[in-house]
Structure formats: structure tokens, C-alpha cells
Amino acid sequence: MNEQEYMNKLKQKAENAPIPESISPENMKKMLDEHMTTTKPSKEQKKPTSSKKWLAYTTVACAMLLVVSGAGLTMATKNMIKQSETSMDMAQEACVEETGAAAEDDASDSDLACATDLNTPESYEEYYDTIKSNLDAYYDSFAQVQDSNKRSDLQVKDFNTSKAENSVVFEDAAMESGTNSDFSTTNIQEENIDEGDIIKTDGKYIYKVSTKIEDGLLTNTLSIIKTVNGKLTLESTIHLDSCFTDNKEDYVYFKEFYLYQNQLVLVFMNDFDKPETTIVIYDVTNKSNPVKKKVIPQSGSYESSRIHEGILYTISNFSNADFSTKKPYENYIPSVAGKLIDCSNIHFPENVLAESTYVVSSIDLNTLEVTDSIAVPTAGGQIYVSDRSIYIYGNVYSEPGKTKLLRVAYREGKLSPGKSTIITGYVYDSFALSEYNGYLRILATISPSNINLLREDSDMIPKTNATNDIINDEAVDMSQLTENINVLYILDENMSLVSKISGIAPGEQIKSVRYIGDMGYLVTYENVDPLFAIDLSDPENPEIKGRLTVPGFSNYLHPYADGLLFGLGEEYDPQTQTFEGLKISMFDISNPTNIQVKDQYILDEAYYAPAQYNHKALMINPEKNIIGFLYQEQVGADNGIYVTNCYFVTYEYQEDYGFMESGMYLVDTEDYDSDQVRGIYIGDYLYISTSNSVTSYQLNGEDAIDILIE
Amino acid sequence: MNKEELTAHVLLAKNGNTDSFCKLYELYYKDMYRFAYYMLKDEEDAKDVISETVLDAFIGIKNLKKPENFKAWIFQILTTKCKRQMAVYVSNRENLSDAEQAMDIPVEEKAYADSIDLKNAFSILNDMERTVISLMVIAGYSSRETAKLLNSKEGTIRSIKSRALTKLSQELKEDFQ
């Protein structure tokens, strides 16, 4: 029996459970009707006083407090948009013609302004009227349900703004050299672009978020812990659930935080009235007494953020605009720091139904003032940030199998929306994107059912055709392809296609990608398991230089010392395809045409490491020659009960000997909490942090020095 | 129910039509109940979270942007409520061992031996495994959709699923590999 058959069998079993009469649709209707007559939903509805109390309420009494828990609803819709082939065929017709473009003509920003296809309204009223008429037309189209063939005939009015064709021209920011201080930092994708996490250190203090259950509710606390040669002292704590609200009934979700100089930058999502992102900044100059400096709310549910050169960029999704009335503007115009986004920074969606509004803000962490804020419509919700652009990308629901990308240029806090494009295929994570010397490189996978889309992409014909382009290969009958294919796209800063390679590893699935300067490396897996090296130095002629076939695959790749590439992944028996454990590999990439495995080590007991899927869970520093991560192993007993053990393990890599295990530490954590475990080092000490404790060790030592239970 | 009908019912429900809302509810309520029942292992609590979910969903449906997402959306509300209830169990669990919980089967339920077996087998799963299996087996979500719902990674979900299925097959003494 395979997994799917077994799941079907379980489902059959599950269906034997009797359904109680009390929850039948008829009874629920009675309850709702009662609710309609007895309760007028209103914001002023009284809230229950204790968080525990609601559990004791009976079903009917729930109506009273659901106004409170109802606040959680809009959040529930976040990202719940499932890809559906039929979902947007109505909406497709609502597409606006490309009739104009925004006037990005603010003289002071002219060097940043991009060519863009987005239009800005003259006033909030114009924005309201345009979108409202679109929405009304859409909903009116359903008034006659029987007439299923009737299609809405939607047309957004023409915009008579002029098109500004300013290209982005700003020089590459000089790369700062890496820090030499001897402590670990969050493992990030792009150098000097910090990413938030649940733990940070400044080389003396550890700042970490712990999660525990109090009064039946999850609570988050940020602890500031002093470290002196492994000794741990708790200096102070910040209660995150109440750090910017006093109302215990409010739902506050801590997302991640940053340490910038002597400030903690905490990012939350909350749902007081509607989904909102909140940035809270604490001054921690005095470790025993953190001082709250600023609370900055931003409309929309949190997507991602980065810090670049002292400026925090925050991206949120404002998906709950309410167009029922023209005023107040707050209902449909997003705001940052309590201020509506300026009209000139709002942009019309091309398609009100398929796109949602993303808010991008920049906050100067030295002055704690909002530098800029814009609202742009696009599809997606996944974010990649280079040192000059923010890319918002994701699936296009009106066009299954395609990915839309919108570029927002940024510099020193100023934001300028650029062009967008749609590529065929889907992008598996942000490491598949890389911007380098003004070109965006993307690796995407196209499933067999969508391969024909490649040929239909008339606007996606590159200026030059790379030799490996499968659609130009007459010998390949596209309709005969039954497996995934992978495509490399190279786009310029106006999001026009420069070149592509569409014949990479047919039948294989991308497992990991890493770009190192002019080279791109990717690992695919299916039958054979190659590592490809792609030369990207000529953006018009990318070329596959070399490939290496090894068993298993790497889920994560990291440039190690010069000419070396580290991989963390899984090992499979080449004959039987049986899983044989986790594997760490070191590849010699000094000669791209002849990649070699320098060393590999198989952890045969281990079956899962959070760092395979979350780069922030990996501790790695080639300069210090240290690699550390948590893995899980499962020990089966005769009685059928499995015990999962978690270990944090550290390695160094020696040219002559290969990988050498330098430490292995049993970590006391629930396995479902293992994603919360991080290892960091400060000097010669290793600190292993779980959701409720920190344990210190001497690097390469075995015995715990100190434990702090939170 | 085809897509147009679904959309129409969602629109009507947005305007406070309880009939339409319950038509939508009728499509999924059995799966919703079973999901809650196996997650919480308690019939009364399952009934309560269903009622709460229905009220929440009815009040909140005006915020549902895409009618075709109704199922995913209402399951998201239900999942959140079940998880909150499970957190309450964890904090109350100290003096009640799993064995005692397993003994506590009301007599009238005995007729449904299969579902009781399954409910007990679910006790050996941890909260995360139970959530994943309930979503995938009972609500029929793919690992990708489950990952989205739980704000996790697809690979994590797949490994949790495999592990949970292995545990279940051991417990239910069935051959499965």
C-alpha cells in the first residue's frame, strides 16, 4: 500500500464517525437567524473581559464575543488564494488595456524613477470611483446566475496620464566588506541585506524570542541575555503580546526581529480592526531597561522585510480594501504610520480581481521616520530583495502555471515602482532569483501540462537564442514531453527578456539554486541527480558549463571558501532510490566544466534538518570554518513507539581530511518545535537556543557550561 | 454546486442571507466536523468549535474576496480555532495521562469501532502531526496547501506526514510501507 492508498483508507475509517445532529445545516441556520435578530454586529460590541472566559461560553453566547474573534477572519483569507484553473476566467476580461502610464516625474527622484506600466490616480476619489465601478460590474455579472454564459464586459476607463520613460539609472552601491567580528549572524541570501529572525547577537548579548503557553494561550517574550564566556544572565524581557496594546483580547502575532546598532526592530502582525503590520522599535542601550521608541503601523498583512544601509523596507499585503463607501478613505487607501499613502504613490491595478495591493515602506532607523511609502498592485506575495530592487512575485491566478514579477527600485529609502512581467513556470523560492549587474536571473520550473505555454509566449522571445533552448530544437516534440522542464530567464531592469535557456534537466525537479557572481549553480533531482554550473557572465548568452552526477541531492547550497560550494541535502541509493540519511557535501567548483565532489558525509540516522528548508536555521561561516545545524533522528522501539531525538551538530572542513565533526549536542526540544532551534557562536562559545531555553558550550567541547530556562 | 451558484450564494451570504450561508456550509460541514473531532478527540469540543466557526465565518464572510476559496477559508478559521483549543488542552494536561484519556470512551460510541480506533490511534501523534494528517486526510489538502495553511514549508509537511502515517500504521497494526 502506498501513502496515497493508505490515506484513502484512513479517510474511509474517519468517515465512520457519526455527525451530531446539533451541527446540521438546519440547526446552524437557526442559530444564525437567532444571531441576526439578537445581535447587531458592531464594533462597539462589548468584549469579554478575560481571555480564559470565552472557553466557558455556550454556543449561543459566542455570538457576543465573536465580534472579537471575528477580527481574526480577514487574516484567515491572507494567502488563502488557491490556484484554480477556473478561478479567474471571468476576471481576465476585466483587464485594462495598456493605455497609459504613471507620471514618475518627481524631479528630485528622477534618477531613481523607473519606466512603469502602473498608473496613479489624481485623487483618492478617482481611485475609489474606478475600482468601485470595476467591482460593481463584476458582481453585477453574477446577478443572473442562470445565464452562465453571460460574461461581464468590463473596461476600466482610459487613463490620460502621460508615460514617463525614464530608465533606472543609479550606480551600484559599493559593497561593504564583511564584518570581522567573531560572532555569528543570521544566514542571509544577499550580502549586506539583513533578514529578520528569532535570534540575534551583537557579540556580547543574545536577543531571542521564546514561546510558551500561559493561561492556555501562546505567549512570546523577547529575552536579552548577557553572555560572559558561556555564562548566561538574563538582563531583561519584553512581553511581545502586549508591547503595543493593552487589550488582552487583541491578537498580536510576532513575526521576526532585527538588531540594528543599539535598537531592536520588531515586526508584528495584528488584527485589531483589520489586518495590520506593526513595527516596534526599542532602544536597548541599557540592556536591563529597554525603552520603546516608536510604534509604526502599516496597513495590510505582513509579507517580508529587509534592512539595507540603515533603512528598513517592509512589504505588506493590503487585501481587505472596503469599497462600500467613498469615505472614510482609510477603508480603501492603505496607510503607514497613521498617514494615508500619498495619492501620487497609489497605483491602479490592471485587474482589480486578480491582483491585490502591496504596501512597501521604508523607515530610516537612525531618525525612526518613514522615508517613503507606496502602494502597488500585483500578484504574489513572495519577496526577493537585491541591493537596489525589491521584487514581489507569485503565481498568476488568471494564468495557471505562470509567475508574475514586479520590480520596485529603491535607494536610500526612496521607492519607485518599475515594470512587471509574467514568466512561464513557477519559482520555488527566493534563492532562485538573483539580481547582478542590472540583470535579474530566475530559474523556474514548468510542469508538463503547461509546457505548451512556452511556445505561446510570443512576447517572451529573447533577443538572442541560447543554444540549449529546447523550443528551438526541432527534434523535440513539445507535446511528447511528459515531465517538468526547467528554464533560466535573464531579464533586464525593464523586465524585458534578454535570454533564456529552456532545456535544463528535463524531467527533473529543482532542489536548490545558488548564484555566485557570474555563475549559477543548481541541483535537480529525479532519476539522475546533477549539479549544474551555468555561466551567466554574458547575459545574452548564458551557457551550461558543466554538470556533475551524484546520488541524492542538496536542498541548500552555500559558497564556502574560494572554489568550494557546500551542500546540505539527502542521500539516496542510486539503484533502489531508498532514503539513506542526510548528507553534507563539499563541491569543488573552481573549474565549472569539471565540478567534483571533494568530500561528503552521510548522517545515516538523520532524516530531517530544518536548515534544508530554512536557510536561517543554518549556522555557517566559511571564514571561521564552522557549519552547524540541527537534525532529527528517529529511534524505533519494539513496541512501535518512535522516539525522535534532536541533535545540533557542528563541522569544520579541512582540505586534507574533508568534513570533521567538531561537536554534537543533544537538544531537548519537542520535534515540532525544532524549527525554532538556532545555534549561534560568540568567540569560542556555542549557544543553542530552543523555544524556551539557551544552553552554552565551549566550541568543540561536549559539556554544557550553563543553561537558562525561560 | 457549480461555480456560479457558489459565487451567488457567497454574495447573498455577504448580505446576511443565512439560507445561502447554510447551503455553503452544507457542502463541507461533515468534513469540518470530522476534522475537528480527530483534532480535538472530543465530540463536545468539536461541536463547539464548529458552532464558533460558523458564527465567525458568517460574520466575516463579507471579507471573503474570492467565492471559490470558501472551503479553504472556512477551514482556515476552523484550524485556527482547533489549534487554540489544543493549546488549552496542553495547559490542562498535567494531571491527565493519555492512557486515562483513552479509557474515557462513552458507551454509546462503541458502535463506531473504526472511528474510535482511529481516534485513539491519533492520540499517539503529536499536535503538529495530528493537524497535518487531519488536514490532508480529512479535509483533502495537498502538502503544498497544508504548508500554506500552517505557514510551514512543503518539505516539512511531507516529512511530518510520512512520519505520522508510519506511526499510525504501527498503531493500527496495518501493513503499509
Side-chain angles (χ1 to χ4, degrees), chain A residues 1 3 6 11 14 16 20 22-23 29 33 59 66 73-74 77 80 86-87 145 319 607 613 634 671, chain B residues 18 25 38 47 51 55-56 60 63 65 68 72-73 76-77 126 137-138 153 161-163 169 174 177:
Chain A
M1 210 180 328
E3 274 195 2
Y6 190 63
K11 164 115 180 151
N16 285 325
S22 69
I23 62 150
K29 180 168 154 44
D33 286 339
T59 309
L66 279 169
L73 285 178
T74 41
T77 61
M80 279 312 300
T86 54
S87 66
V145 175
S319 60
Y607 67 94
Y613 302 99
Q634 208 164 41
D671 58 355
Chain B
T18 54
Y25 170 70
Y38 290 111
K47 288 196 306 206
S51 303
L55 268 165
D56 255 19
N63 296 321
K65 276 185 108 182
E68 64 270 22
W73 171 76
Q76 170 96 53
I77 300 169
N126 67 38
V137 171
I138 296 165
K153 302 270 185 178
K161 180 190 80 175
S162 298
R163 208 176 340 140
S169 65
E174 281 168 1
Q177 49 188 354

Side-chain angles (χ1 to χ4, degrees), chain A residues 137-154:
Chain A
Y138 173 71
Y139 287 124
D140 287 349
S141 71
F142 292 110
Q144 309 266 308
V145 175
Q146 297 86 343
D147 188 1
S148 58
N149 290 328
K150 190 181 169 206
R151 295 289 181 164
S152 56
D153 182 21
L154 306 184

